[in-house]
């Protein structure tokens, strides 16, 4: 098997290759003067290939499509999309809207497709191939456990995401809960853990992604006002758009813990072992 990393996932693809004890295939990525992307795989051998490329931007999607097309003579093409952009646009909310996740999924021509904690699992049904979603929550749990925090409590930002908190806590014996927002008046809102007191505990708020960080910043401030010791954020996908990092640190976050599905400074947990194990099981 050859591991081919796209421009958005070069470190992650190299880590997956190392997990599998093979060398990553070298590719060339550049742009023409008019802004068009150019991609080339610097290996002419035909073999089973696994392309690893997050589609954080539209340009990243084009690069993925180029790599798939460049591998047209390969007998088997596996595609790993660690972070799939547009996955939140999984249905029509208003008349006249496209289902953008479906439109993008239909462009991916492969034998197998893997995602990591995709925002909406229903998107897997839009691919024209067998599609599998991998869960990175346990990797985050092991990392959190290694930090030797003070009586740590893992919480999801709402009841809808409690499964992620539960899975993160499961193998490492940590408590978990979810945050409940209560509005007392037009300008009075409290956010607190539903079942567990946060007083003098290190709190880790976990979600599948952090985008603008607005809700998280509000939660950090309120938890600290309720006696939480330190508040950490953990996520699979560190989108961290615009000034999200500044907003979160301004709100008092101790640290941001994320995986390398999107390669950022905060990506201290690698999903490479998760992807490598999935490829071994093929």
């Amino acid at each position: 098997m050859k591991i081919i990393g796209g421009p958005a996932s070069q470190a992650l693809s190299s880590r997956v290759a190392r997990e599998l004890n093979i060398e990553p295939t070298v590719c060339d990525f550049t742009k023409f003067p008019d802004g068009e992307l150019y991609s080339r795989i610097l290996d002419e051998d035909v073999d089973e290939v696994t392309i690893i490329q997050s589609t954080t931007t539209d340009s990243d999607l084009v690069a993925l499509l180029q790599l798939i097309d460049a591998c047209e003579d390969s007998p088997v093409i596996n595609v790993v999309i660690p972070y799939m952009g547009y996955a939140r646009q999984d249905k029509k909310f208003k008349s006249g809207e496209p289902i953008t996740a479906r439109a993008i999924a239909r462009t991916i021509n492969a034998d197998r497709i893997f995602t990591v904690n995709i925002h909406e699992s229903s998107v897997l049904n839009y691919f024209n191939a067998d599609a599998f979603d991998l869960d990175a929550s346990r990797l985050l749990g092991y990392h959190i456990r290694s930090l030797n925090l003070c009586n740590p409590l893992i919480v999801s930002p709402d009841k809808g995401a409690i499964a992620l908190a539960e899975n993160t806590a499961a193998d490492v014996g940590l408590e978990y809960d979810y945050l409940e927002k209560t509005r007392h008046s037009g300008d009075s809102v409290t956010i607190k853990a539903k079942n567990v007191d946060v007083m003098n505990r290190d709190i880790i708020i976990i979600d599948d992604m952090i985008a603008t960080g607005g809700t998280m910043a509000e939660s950090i401030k309120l938890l600290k006002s309720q006696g939480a010791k330190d508040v950490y954020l953990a996520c699979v996908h560190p989108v961290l758009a615009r000034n999200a990092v500044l907003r979160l640190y301004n709100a008092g976050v101790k640290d941001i813990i994320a995986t390398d599905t999107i390669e950022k400074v905060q990506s201290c947990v690698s999903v490479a072992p998760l992807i490598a194990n999935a490829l071994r099981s093929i």
Side-chain angles (χ1 to χ4, degrees):
M1 179 186 294
K2 294 186 182 301
I3 300 295
I4 298 172
S9 300
Q10 294 185 53
L12 176 55
S13 60
S14 299
R15 291 168 185 149
V16 172
R18 181 172 294 175
E19 289 280 339
L20 296 173
N21 202 28
I22 58 179
E23 290 186 359
T25 299
V26 177
C27 301
D28 185 24
F29 304 105
T30 187
K31 284 188 176 182
F32 289 109
D34 61 359
E36 289 185 358
L37 184 67
Y38 172 86
S39 301
R40 183 188 175 203
I41 301 170
L42 303 179
D43 188 337
E44 297 181 359
D45 291 340
V46 176
D47 203 348
E48 177 177 350
V49 300
T50 295
I51 301 167
I52 302 175
Q53 166 74 342
S54 285
T55 55
T56 312
T57 67
D58 295 347
S59 179
D60 293 331
L61 174 62
V62 172
L64 175 59
L65 298 179
Q66 289 181 330
L67 291 173
I68 292 172
D69 193 74
C71 294
E72 63 173 343
D73 293 330
S74 299
V76 177
I77 300 175
N78 306 306
V79 169
V80 181
I81 310 174
Y83 171 76
M84 180 180 172
Y86 293 98
R88 286 181 286 183
Q89 297 189 42
D90 64 309
K91 58 177 69 71
K92 292 186 179 183
F93 298 93
K94 298 178 182 178
S95 62
E97 289 182 343
I99 302 178
T100 308
R102 179 179 64 187
I104 289 176
R106 287 174 172 173
T107 68
I108 309 298
N109 295 313
D111 296 284
R112 301 180 197 88
I113 295 163
F114 299 89
T115 58
V116 179
N117 290 93
I118 194 168
H119 191 72
E120 293 292 342
S121 60
S122 60
V123 173
L124 299 175
N125 298 321
Y126 295 142
F127 290 104
N128 296 316
D130 292 334
F132 310 91
D133 190 47
L134 309 178
D135 183 10
S137 59
R138 282 178 168 80
L139 295 174
L140 287 170
Y142 286 122
H143 180 80
I144 292 167
R145 188 62 167 176
S146 73
L147 298 177
N148 296 317
L149 302 180
C150 178
N151 197 14
L153 174 66
I154 296 175
V155 297
S156 63
D158 52 50
K159 191 174 182 179
I162 195 170
L164 181 62
E166 181 179 7
N167 291 340
T168 301
D171 284 356
V172 291
L174 299 179
E175 285 189 283
Y176 66 92
D177 202 353
Y178 67 93
L179 299 181
E180 185 177 57
K181 178 184 287 187
T182 304
R183 183 170 295 280
H184 303 285
S185 64
D187 58 357
S188 175
V189 176
T190 59
I191 295 176
K192 64 179 182 178
K194 173 65 175 175
N195 302 306
V196 182
D197 188 2
V198 303
M199 180 67 70
N200 295 322
R201 302 185 70 169
D202 285 336
I203 309 300
I204 307 94
I205 309 174
I206 189 165
D207 208 350
D208 65 329
M209 71 174 68
I210 301 174
T212 62
T215 300
M216 291 293 195
E218 181 183 7
S219 300
I220 292 164
K221 291 177 181 178
L222 287 170
L223 285 170
K224 289 181 75 67
S225 73
Q226 292 163 14
K229 186 174 180 290
D230 285 320
V231 180
Y232 296 76
L233 295 183
C235 66
V236 179
H237 310 298
V239 177
L240 299 172
R242 300 195 295 273
N243 63 345
V245 173
L246 289 173
R247 293 177 69 181
L248 293 169
Y249 276 94
N250 181 264
V253 72
K254 180 69 173 180
D255 202 3
I256 302 170
I257 301 162
T259 81
D260 54 358
T261 60
I262 302 174
E263 296 177 0
K264 296 281 184 74
V265 171
Q266 297 79 16
S267 302
C268 56
V269 179
S270 181
V271 296
L274 184 69
I275 295 170
N277 286 337
L279 295 175
R280 289 190 191 100
S281 66
I282 294 174

